[in-house]
Amino acid sequence: MNKAIVIGFDAVNALGLVQSLGREGVYVIAVLECEKSELIKHSKYAKEIYSVNNVEEAIELLIHKFANESSPIPVFAAGDGVAMALDKNYDKLSKYFLFEHAYGKYSIEQLMDKELQVSVAKEFQFSVPVSVCIHAPFSVPQPMIYPCIVKPLVSCIGNKHDIVIAEDEKQLHDILTHKTFNTEDLLIQQYIQRDYEYCMIGCSQKNGGVSMPLALRPVAFSHFLQDASTVQYVEPLSDEIFPEVVKIKELMNAIKYVGLFSVEFMHDMKNGKIYFTEINFRNDGTNSFITQNGTNLPYLHYLDLLNLPPKTYSIIQKPKKVIWEGIHFSALIHHDISLKKWLTELKGTEGFLYYFKDDKAPFYFSFINKIKRIPILSSKR
């Protein structure tokens, strides 16, 4: 039986992996950090679901439940914490499982450090915003360009609530003095006044090949949800982003990374430059947009791990407007955008993140659940 294990939260990243692998006939086992699955249980592709309290329990479950299979099972990380845990336990797990790894100078854990990412990005000639790493007790770095953004040095050690924008030195001082952070290591980075972003999602293979068939270009964002993207275009590689794609492929080969990844950029609306911001060494939460519109990168990674020949896909030839519907609807109910703008943005949309034509139940559950959580409705129940 062709099996794969997905580890993560009961949320969109793990769901996208379950659906992408399942639609190719893979028997998908979901190991979820939750008390009980509410979302992924609705997917017809989740053949088995196990609930754990944390990633450490997930690692133990792998060993005790699946280590005695006749052949190694591919394992997919649906989050930074899982990717780091797999990397830390590589020696213990690699005899029985196949998963993302780096076999060069740096481990995945080291590569998740944004200070190192900035250094490596500069080495490969990416344009990088002014960036300074600071450690607790925090003080304002000098010099700094404003506005600036504050974020955890390692994403899975902090959380999204640690991300905040400071307009000037006084505001940055107040943030660093009074805000409670979930980490003792922060990156202070020049905030790029962007009109759009790029999210380059790809798969780096054992033979050195790197697949990045399409670009995701976010054009609208929710300020309420830490500037998460709402409206995006999935599109063929443009002349603007292609030079960055070449650099990404060179970087992935240099660090000898094997697995799914995403590299994020911002387009400066003032000077027109493309700025590197970060790399994620695991499946990206928006990867389903790529699966839906051309190439099933998780399945390509699955085949590569098993030393099987890759599958050939036909990708779209013109841009398609797509929406991350959960964040988009949250932006509406939290008054981040008006009803008029929300409806306007929906016009011409050709895809939603949760919506797979052959597995619609998670999409409908997610939407109904969002409606139930609208404050005015939940207060009447």
Side-chain angles (χ1 to χ4, degrees):
M1 184 183 294
N2 299 327
K3 292 182 179 179
I5 299 172
V6 173
I7 306 177
F9 292 105
D10 187 35
V12 66
N13 195 318
L15 174 65
L17 284 168
V18 169
Q19 292 175 315
S20 295
L21 294 166
R23 68 183 348 199
E24 297 284 3
V26 178
Y27 184 94
V28 185
I29 302 161
V31 179
L32 305 175
E33 293 182 58
C34 62
E35 184 176 340
K36 183 180 179 182
S37 174
E38 297 294 336
L39 174 65
I40 292 175
K41 71 176 184 181
H42 293 283
S43 173
K44 69 180 184 181
Y45 295 124
K47 302 302 183 184
E48 297 179 34
I49 297 178
Y50 298 88
S51 294
V52 295
N53 292 314
N54 49 54
V55 69
E56 290 77 19
E57 283 190 15
I59 298 298
E60 291 304 312
L61 178 68
L62 287 187
I63 295 169
H64 292 118
K65 185 77 177 177
F66 302 106
N68 294 321
E69 296 283 328
S70 57
S71 58
I73 302 177
V75 177
F76 290 77
D80 291 326
V82 179
M84 185 180 291
L86 292 173
D87 186 56
K88 284 183 175 180
N89 290 277
Y90 182 84
D91 291 339
K92 181 165 59 173
L93 296 173
S94 58
K95 296 177 183 178
Y96 312 107
F97 304 98
L98 306 169
F99 48 88
E100 283 131 339
H101 59 280
Y103 58 96
K105 182 178 178 180
Y106 305 111
S107 67
I108 289 180
E109 181 179 9
Q110 290 172 315
L111 289 166
M112 286 185 179
D113 185 301
K114 290 186 176 64
E115 188 174 25
L116 177 60
Q117 289 189 13
V118 166
S119 175
V120 172
K122 288 179 178 178
E123 181 183 342
F124 284 86
Q125 306 302 310
F126 290 100
S127 296
V128 181
V130 173
S131 307
V132 180
C133 175
I134 62 173
H135 309 281
F138 303 127
S139 60
V140 175
Q142 299 290 348
M144 177 48 63
I145 298 177
Y146 296 92
C148 64
I149 186 167
V150 181
K151 49 188 175 182
L153 190 63
V154 179
S155 297
C156 61
I157 294 178
N159 65 39
K160 290 188 179 297
H161 296 291
D162 292 325
I163 302 173
V164 62
I165 296 170
E167 296 294 336
D168 51 40
E169 183 175 342
K170 181 181 182 304
Q171 190 174 18
L172 179 59
H173 177 270
D174 290 342
I175 290 168
L176 296 178
T177 303
H178 301 297
K179 181 175 173 59
T180 300
F181 289 95
N182 295 283
T183 176
E184 294 188 347
D185 303 293
L186 297 172
L187 185 73
I188 314 296
Q189 194 169 66
Q190 172 191 0
Y191 183 73
I192 303 301
Q193 303 281 3
R194 88 294 201 204
D195 45 0
Y196 55 86
E197 299 179 358
Y198 281 103
C199 181
M200 301 308 302
I201 299 176
C203 175
S204 188
Q205 296 150 359
K206 289 188 287 187
N207 65 2
V210 180
S211 179
M212 270 180 295
L214 296 166
L216 273 178
R217 187 166 58 88
V219 298
F221 312 90
S222 171
H223 300 298
F224 175 78
L225 294 166
Q226 289 79 43
D227 268 6
S229 58
T230 53
V231 181
Q232 309 184 39
Y233 285 89
V234 55
E235 57 193 20
L237 303 181
S238 65
D239 291 342
E240 179 178 65
I241 197 60
F242 188 77
E244 312 306 318
V245 171
V246 174
K247 296 174 193 175
I248 293 170
K249 291 182 177 181
E250 293 173 350
L251 186 156
M252 290 296 161
N253 281 319
I255 63 176
K256 301 184 186 302
Y257 174 72
V258 175
L260 300 170
F261 67 86
S262 61
V263 187
E264 299 176 15
F265 299 91
M266 289 187 177
H267 177 265
D268 192 317
M269 62 191 304
K270 294 181 179 179
N271 62 25
K273 290 178 67 174
I274 302 291
Y275 285 93
F276 166 94
T277 55
E278 66 177 292
I279 309 176
N280 300 301
F281 292 95
R282 39 79 181 166
N283 183 65
D284 192 276
T286 56
N287 193 24
S288 291
F289 286 138
I290 306 299
T291 298
Q292 294 166 13
N293 290 284
T295 302
N296 192 331
L297 292 171
Y299 188 59
L300 286 184
H301 179 43
Y302 172 87
L303 294 173
D304 186 51
L305 288 174
L306 292 171
N307 296 316
L308 296 173
K311 182 175 179 178
T312 301
Y313 292 94
S314 177
I315 63 172
I316 60 171
Q317 298 301 311
K318 61 180 182 178
K320 284 188 177 182
K321 182 180 179 182
V322 294
I323 283 181
W324 187 334
E325 65 276 24
I327 292 178
H328 192 234
F329 190 64
S330 292
L332 171 67
I333 63 177
H334 290 287
H335 309 291
D336 199 20
I337 58 174
S338 67
L339 176 60
K340 181 179 179 180
K341 184 176 182 181
W342 184 75
L343 292 171
T344 299
E345 289 179 342
L346 282 176
K347 289 182 179 179
T349 299
E350 296 184 73
F352 297 97
L353 189 60
Y354 288 79
Y355 188 82
F356 274 72
K357 291 181 180 179
D358 51 359
D359 191 34
K360 300 176 183 177
F363 170 82
Y364 291 119
F365 167 80
S366 176
F367 189 71
I368 292 170
N369 194 46
K370 284 284 184 184
I371 293 175
K372 288 180 178 178
R373 292 167 62 184
I374 296 176
I376 192 170
L377 296 179
S378 59
S379 63
K380 292 180 178 180
R381 294 208 307 251

